[in-house]
Amino acid sequence: MVDPALKRALRRLRDVKSLQPSDADSVEFADWRESVAGALDSLARVLVFEEDRARAAAEAAAALEQAAAIRRRHETRAGGR
């Protein structure tokens, strides 16, 4: 039997991923990547194996970094106008 918390975390990640915006350089995409990071963090807390938890946490950190990079690019463009 699969842990209900794990099922919920996987479902949340799948739901969030299904909402991916098409423009990978938009503020909306940065918001989405932050949502993905949150879902991955939640998943990391309920995964059984340490290796899987570490991978989910690393993917969450990468998603947050990508979101931050997108936001920096937008701030730079807005400041240059």
Side-chain angles (χ1 to χ4, degrees):
M1 179 171 198
V2 176
D3 178 4
L6 178 58
K7 283 176 109 173
R8 283 191 302 275
L10 287 168
R11 186 174 295 119
R12 177 177 175 218
L13 180 59
R14 187 173 49 248
D15 290 347
V16 168
K17 282 189 167 190
S18 74
L19 300 174
Q20 180 177 351
S22 59
D23 183 358
D25 194 40
S26 66
V27 173
E28 291 78 17
F29 193 86
D31 292 342
W32 174 76
R33 289 301 282 161
E34 289 171 350
S35 295
V36 168
L40 285 165
D41 280 337
S42 295
L43 179 60
R45 289 198 274 305
V46 296
L47 288 168
V48 176
F49 299 106
E50 177 59 34
E51 181 179 313
D52 294 335
R53 290 191 299 268
R55 187 177 312 132
E59 287 181 27
L64 289 175
E65 179 52 40
Q66 183 183 26
I70 292 168
R71 291 185 191 290
R72 283 191 298 273
R73 283 194 299 272
H74 279 271
E75 288 172 5
T76 301
R77 289 179 197 153
R81 289 182 184 168

